[in-house]
């Protein structure tokens, strides 16, 4: 099995109307923006997408929109669907729904539950999703900050080995550079049968260091996929100094954006024209504080100059 | 508004087939058992019901069955539906679904999310459910062990005051006797407009002490609602010594049953004939350990004698 | 190595004056009470002893008093000292201090820290204490409720195998009966070189069920060691029905006492004359609520009658 | 009362020998380095200092060394001592020890404990330290990542108002820029009697944004206090663009260094010649992974060039 998880897969925010209902038109435009920006695909209903605050029907509606945009955009654009759930059978059911609706892949995080042999249970999680969804690529999200599950390197490698449709690890377990290197070292000794890539997450905060250890792109919510694409392009071409220079140049923006709270990110998406409203669902704070909004505005000017139109994908000259 | 939350409302386990699909026939029988055992109603899709491991469709199927049994049993039997969710709008949506399907009430736990003014957000949670479901009684479940939310007594009273359809508190915040007394003291000073009762949970572990402080019944998963009914009957009639004597007599069973893990309880439900299989959904351990199963068997004999048929509601003489 | 951890080792509360300074006279009397009550020893500076709110000098002062009482009481009476600390070297240093001051044993809980190989680190914890304190018996406290560390049965057995001065497990990981049975099963296959006993903790809440699985006594804060001794005596003599009868009879007291908050227990100790003041150190609530104090008073009358002098060890006829 | 908490106060790591004993000579050199680097003082026995893994005697030894270096360095150099402890009386006792030994200030974090009125308990914490240590300046560390205590802006302001020796807030609660602005806004309305500054922590990760909101310096473990001093100097002189330019330039280093694990930081301190060994006390991982060590080496070359001697304070031309 070959992995198509290379390049840039933005994690999508979910646009809500001020009354908290889904803004599906806005979602359609958001996905279309990522197509225009040259992303390889998009991951929906993840943590940033506030999937934990949605009903299953809402998830369904979002999948339909994303699959529709992808199917009519005229080029391969993959829709990856976050289907994590506290129950294994429900994770499998949600994954099957995604597959049935035409999604290209699912992203699954482990859930924290005390099992007598926790590692076996985590293998079972991925195995059961794989069994229920034959042929569907699975992204293993390793993100202890949201899951409280700390997966060892041997466990990660065991899952990839035993579940051949796991073709990507979104590796977000700190410190990421060390863990990426350890996984790749293991794979050098015992290669998995399928191709399995590692993508960088965490808002690209450690992007320069992760690429250095061999990640093959980004799956994260940083609102400038063009910049990530440029970094990744340089890194994959072996020009690590250029990758690092881009990283260093845009790092203040990455640092600012990854501050906790979905609202900060949605504000940036809003400024890029992806969302009409940055409204976040309760019980999270519904919007960014005015202080942060103003600091962000200054930062954008400092980064791109005052005349830059951010509502369109940035032309290459902006970041060369 | 008058509260019907008096007496005994068992928390229902959800029967699964060994392949983890819903056993709806089993669920029908479980509810019917509670009707026969004289319960005032039943609460479904709570923590013990493993609602956190279900899809929304599965919740729907369970509600339909419970409402159907209640509607055809020939006497008032209330169906209360747990609709807690990480998102407030989703909690409201699930509550509306329950109301639309004919449920008599919903049970809602607070969710832990860092809000700038957490108390206001918790009031909003209940207010929004109330607004979406006009006239539907709401049980406020105060159970920090599962929610990590510690609600102060003033906050509890504020919610009851501001949301007049909250007609019951399932008070499970330790030490329960002290908190029950404090809430009732507050109410003595500033009574809510509606009638609001307090019910005992936590497997009745503190049942004797809670009744002493004025709870008006039980909403909990202890598998012998007949015993709880007898305790409650004595307490409400003012015969606290008899309530305590029953409590003391059956306390080893309560202690045994409230050991962590849904599997222990399901095993007891299984022995009572409510479930064909005590299977628990992954990633939780799927069944009780043989050691506990055997210890439970001994305990049942020690408690009821060896000839007692537990698959039928116990006749009153067993516990008088 | 032979284990002397059989019988009853009460966990001692630490008496404080209302200004939060140590009441060493009170502590002396508390230990002396346990000698009179027939306990085999006492465990000081544990969780109930509020050791986490003490300076090292205060620990030292308490050890001196306990060792002095034990040394002059005219019979073997073991002093076990809790020496758990977030750092391994500090745990070893505190253990050495205890040994130097004449303590008979130390009790060590694992600390939660993310190590690349957590099991190895836990073995190292016990090994380093053992190395620093040659010949000093170690009690391994397995109490996830306070440590958040979940030790598997193989890990427990590995520690006992690799660290021969671990001669007791205070097993408080739920459900305890199952875990006790599993450890003993392992030992039946691969016996440790030293004698290692398992003691019951958790306020004796599961005492009847634990004894049934083979614990050899109690190390816990339940304020009636005489009752625990009688239960244990019956169980070790093979009269499990009598052990269970005692357990059932006093279970309401055990349930009441193990409610969270050190204050509940200290109130009971105070009523038994062990403490002048039940004051608990800040930031914990400084005393039991009046509601609980009154409920406790009623419960004591209900349990022992109104004329019973609790300030002396109960004569055997009280519980036969 | 005037606050001297302006400028740069590095958080000191504690040097250990490979056998985990204190390396007091190394500590002396570390402090002396900070004197040479132009810092206004140093904060010892904080989180980075691994104070949670130390005995009280070890704390004492470290305070003595730091106070001695400060007293003989020929210019004002303040020693601030972390004295946080799970118990309030122990926090006060440790603070008194620090004062008695000649420390200039203490740093106190709140501890998480369920009190009926948690805010009152936190005020009491600071009030009791203040009472025990008359005249001793207190730094309030607001760092939920290590304490799990989320202090509201009104609570922070209340503590400063009620405890006049609190003359500094080390504000590390995310998102920091918003919270800094909110505190200052409150103070604009109701100014505290004493001067109280806000310092930036968190490895300076948000340094540029924090300075913009009015922090007056840094109290953090970033290993290049010279750079922080230059940033702060620019900001206090009103040249925010220069502050931001410095921030942006050195941000990859800040990002790298603040990766979790004390070992990363100690490796950088080691490379700067402050520590002979970067050994971290168990149960934490004892050293940085080779992958991270190598990535750090590359990053240092990328940042400072290959010929730069990092073991001496950097000359100003390096960062102008």
């Amino acid at each position: 099995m070959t992995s198509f998880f290379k390049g840039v897969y933005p994690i999508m925010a979910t646009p809500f109307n001020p009354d908290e209902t889904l803004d599906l038109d806005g979602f359609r435009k958001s996905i279309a923006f990522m197509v225009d920006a040259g992303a390889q695909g998009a991951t929906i209903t993840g943590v940033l997408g506030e999937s934990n605050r949605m009903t299953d029907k809402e998830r369904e509606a979002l999948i339909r929109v994303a699959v529709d945009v992808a199917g009519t955009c005229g080029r391969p654009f993959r829709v990856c669907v976050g289907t994590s759930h506290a129950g294994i059978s429900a994770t499998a059911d949600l994954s099957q729904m995604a597959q049935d609706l035409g999604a290209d892949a699912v992203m699954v995080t482990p859930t924290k539950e005390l099992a007598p042999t926790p590692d076996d249970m985590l293998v079972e999680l991925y195995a059961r999703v794989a069994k229920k969804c034959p042929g569907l690529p699975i992204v293993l999200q390793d993100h202890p900050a949201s899951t409280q599950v700390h997966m060892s390197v041997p466990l990660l490698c065991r899952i990839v080995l035993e579940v051949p449709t796991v073709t990507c690890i979104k590796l977000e377990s700190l410190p990421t550079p060390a863990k990426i290197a350890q996984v790749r070292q293991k794979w050098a000794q015992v290669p998995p049968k399928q191709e399995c890539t590692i993508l960088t997450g965490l808002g690209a905060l450690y992007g320069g260091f992760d690429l250095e250890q061999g990640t093959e792109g980004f799956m994260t919510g940083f609102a400038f996929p063009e910049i990530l694409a440029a970094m990744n392009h340089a890194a994959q071409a072996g020009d690590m100094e250029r990758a690092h220079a881009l990283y260093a140049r845009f790092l203040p923006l990455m640092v600012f954006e990854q501050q906790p709270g979905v609202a900060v990110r949605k504000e940036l998406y809003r400024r890029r024209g992806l969302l009409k409203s940055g409204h976040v669902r309760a019980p999270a704070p519904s919007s960014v504080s005015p202080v942060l909004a103003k600091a962000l505005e200054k930062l954008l000017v400092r980064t791109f100059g005052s005349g830059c139109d951010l509502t369109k994908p940035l032309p290459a000259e902006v970041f060369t």
Side-chain angles (χ1 to χ4, degrees), chain A:
Chain A
M1 199 160 177
T2 303
S3 176
F4 50 71
F5 287 111
K6 296 167 188 172
V8 179
Y9 285 77
I11 301 277
M12 303 304 296
T14 304
F16 297 115
N17 298 308
D19 69 353
E20 299 211 353
T21 54
L22 290 180
D23 169 14
L24 290 176
D25 275 350
F27 192 61
R28 179 174 295 274
K29 277 181 210 152
S30 293
I31 303 277
F33 183 99
M34 296 306 172
V35 173
D36 293 347
Q40 274 64 47
T43 299
I44 69 171
T45 60
V47 173
L48 173 59
E50 300 174 64
S51 63
N52 65 322
R53 303 188 194 110
M54 273 175 207
T55 63
D56 296 349
K57 273 185 196 161
E58 291 174 326
R59 289 167 180 260
E60 184 184 329
L62 292 167
I63 298 170
R64 285 189 190 279
V65 168
V67 166
D68 186 51
V69 174
T72 56
C73 75
R75 68 160 174 97
F77 184 88
R78 267 75 182 223
V79 173
C80 177
V81 177
T83 57
S84 304
H85 194 286
I88 289 185
S89 68
T91 306
D93 286 353
L94 291 178
S95 299
Q96 197 183 36
M97 175 174 82
Q99 188 176 30
D100 289 348
L101 293 169
D104 298 288
V106 290
M107 177 174 73
V108 174
T109 56
T111 44
K112 186 165 187 62
E113 176 100 30
L114 279 176
T117 50
D119 284 9
D120 294 345
M121 192 51 89
L122 289 174
V123 175
E124 187 180 328
L125 164 63
Y126 290 93
R128 280 175 61 179
V129 172
K131 199 179 163 193
K132 190 104 177 192
C133 306
L136 188 69
I138 300 170
V139 176
L140 186 171
Q141 185 183 18
D142 178 21
H143 186 231
S146 67
T147 61
Q148 269 79 52
V149 177
H150 296 271
M151 306 174 88
S152 69
V153 169
L155 174 59
L156 284 180
C157 293
R158 183 181 156 200
I159 294 172
V160 171
L161 210 59
E162 297 189 16
V163 187
T165 46
V166 172
T167 58
C168 179
I169 299 175
K170 175 161 148 68
L171 200 150
E172 308 181 290
S173 168
L174 299 172
T176 50
K179 198 167 186 181
I180 294 163
Q182 286 160 358
V183 170
R184 288 171 54 90
Q185 219 169 328
K186 270 262 177 203
W187 283 348
Q189 294 158 10
V190 185
K193 282 160 231 153
Q194 74 275 37
E195 187 185 25
C196 187
T197 61
I198 306 179
L199 293 182
T200 280
L202 296 175
L205 184 61
Y206 304 100
F209 307 112
D210 284 3
L211 285 171
E212 213 169 18
Q213 302 304 331
T215 54
E216 300 187 37
F218 294 89
M219 184 178 283
T220 193
F222 183 59
F224 293 87
E226 315 90 306
I227 293 171
L228 300 181
M231 278 175 67
N232 187 50
H233 190 261
Q236 303 313 328
D239 187 354
M240 206 55 76
E241 286 316 301
R242 175 161 157 72
H244 261 290
L246 283 164
Y247 171 60
R249 180 165 159 211
F250 294 103
L251 192 48
L253 201 51
M254 293 166 181
V255 165
F256 190 93
E257 200 202 55
Q258 58 81 54
Q259 291 180 96
V262 167
V264 183
R265 291 183 181 236
K266 288 188 106 163
E267 171 64 9
L268 193 43
Y269 278 43
R270 194 189 64 76
R271 282 178 177 275
R272 294 217 72 182
L274 279 76
L275 311 175
K276 252 183 305 182
S277 151
H279 190 91
V280 178
R281 275 196 169 171
S286 62
S287 62
V288 78
S289 74
V291 170
L292 284 191
K294 201 171 158 191
L296 175 59
E297 190 170 355
K298 276 190 189 177
L299 175 61
L300 288 172
V301 172
R302 206 180 290 126
T303 308
F304 297 107
S306 56
C308 185
D309 180 2
L310 300 175
T311 65
K312 299 200 183 104
L314 300 174
E317 56 270 26
V318 170
F319 43 90
T320 47

